[in-house]
């Protein structure tokens, strides 16, 4: 059960990050009176993409986390994946909310997001294959 608490911990943090990004979009929409689309407003466009990118990556990552937890992945591994993904999402959002020519936060964020998701996916696939082959 503790493994699912770890998943819930990181899921909650990322859900709060997503909600915060939603409010960032809403604030610009209200201030600029843009109800649909981005109104060619660069600030709104960046905020929409920060929110959209989170919405694109978070679901698959947390489905993988639940799958990994259900197959008895060690708690430390769940923490490593969850922390790496969460830091990646924060760095990525940070750049989109304060865009600059310095792409390092965005690149680091995407590297952490993609590496944690990819390694988790490959590990879960391998673990599942071993179980299906009767190895456990």
């Amino acid at each position: 059960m503790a493994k699912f608490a770890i998943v819930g911990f990181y899921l909650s943090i990322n859900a709060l990050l997503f909600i915060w990004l939603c409010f960032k979009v809403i604030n610009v929409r209200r201030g600029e009176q843009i109800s649909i689309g981005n109104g060619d407003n660069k600030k709104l466009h960046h905020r929409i993409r920060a929110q959209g990118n989170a919405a694109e990556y978070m679901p698959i990552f947390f489905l993988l986390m639940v799958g990994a937890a259900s197959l008895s992945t060690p708690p430390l591994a769940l923490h490593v994946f969850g922390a790496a993904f969460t830091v990646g999402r924060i760095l990525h959002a940070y750049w989109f909310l304060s865009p600059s020519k310095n792409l390092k936060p965005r690149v680091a964020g995407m590297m952490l997001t993609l590496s944690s998701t990819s390694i988790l996916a490959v590990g879960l696939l391998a673990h599942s294959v071993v179980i299906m082959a009767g190895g456990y």
Side-chain angles (χ1 to χ4, degrees), residues 62-83:
F62 285 103
L63 286 171
L64 290 168
M65 283 282 280
V66 167
S70 71
L71 294 181
S72 300
T73 298
L76 180 60
L78 293 173
H79 277 297
V80 168
F81 291 122

Side-chain angles (χ1 to χ4, degrees), residues 96-117:
F96 268 96
L97 296 178
S98 302
S100 71
K101 291 183 190 260
N102 178 10
L103 293 174
K104 287 180 184 178
R106 182 179 184 194
V107 171
M110 284 312 299
M111 287 178 64
L112 284 168
T113 296
L114 291 174
S115 63
S116 59
T117 304

Side-chain angles (χ1 to χ4, degrees), residues 2-124:
K3 293 174 186 170
F4 289 104
I6 294 167
V7 175
F9 175 78
Y10 291 105
L11 178 57
S12 297
I13 292 170
N14 280 271
L16 291 171
L17 173 62
F18 182 76
I19 291 165
W20 181 69
L21 291 170
C22 291
F23 280 110
K24 290 295 199 178
V25 171
I26 291 166
N27 288 339
V28 175
R29 285 191 184 285
R30 282 186 181 160
E32 301 294 325
Q33 297 181 348
I34 302 169
S35 63
I36 297 175
N38 64 24
D40 292 326
N41 182 300
K42 194 170 185 173
K43 183 176 185 178
L44 180 56
H45 178 72
H46 276 97
R47 290 185 180 199
I48 289 170
R49 283 310 311 141
Q51 177 196 26
N53 192 274
E56 293 159 6
Y57 284 93
M58 287 178 182
I60 190 66
F61 179 79
F62 285 103
L63 286 171
L64 290 168
M65 283 282 280
V66 167
S70 71
L71 294 181
S72 300
T73 298
L76 180 60
L78 293 173
H79 277 297
V80 168
F81 291 122
F85 182 83
T86 300
V87 169
R89 296 288 74 217
I90 290 168
L91 287 171
H92 192 266
Y94 167 79
W95 185 88
F96 268 96
L97 296 178
S98 302
S100 71
K101 291 183 190 260
N102 178 10
L103 293 174
K104 287 180 184 178
R106 182 179 184 194
V107 171
M110 284 312 299
M111 287 178 64
L112 284 168
T113 296
L114 291 174
S115 63
S116 59
T117 304
S118 300
I119 294 167
L120 184 56
V122 170
L124 183 57

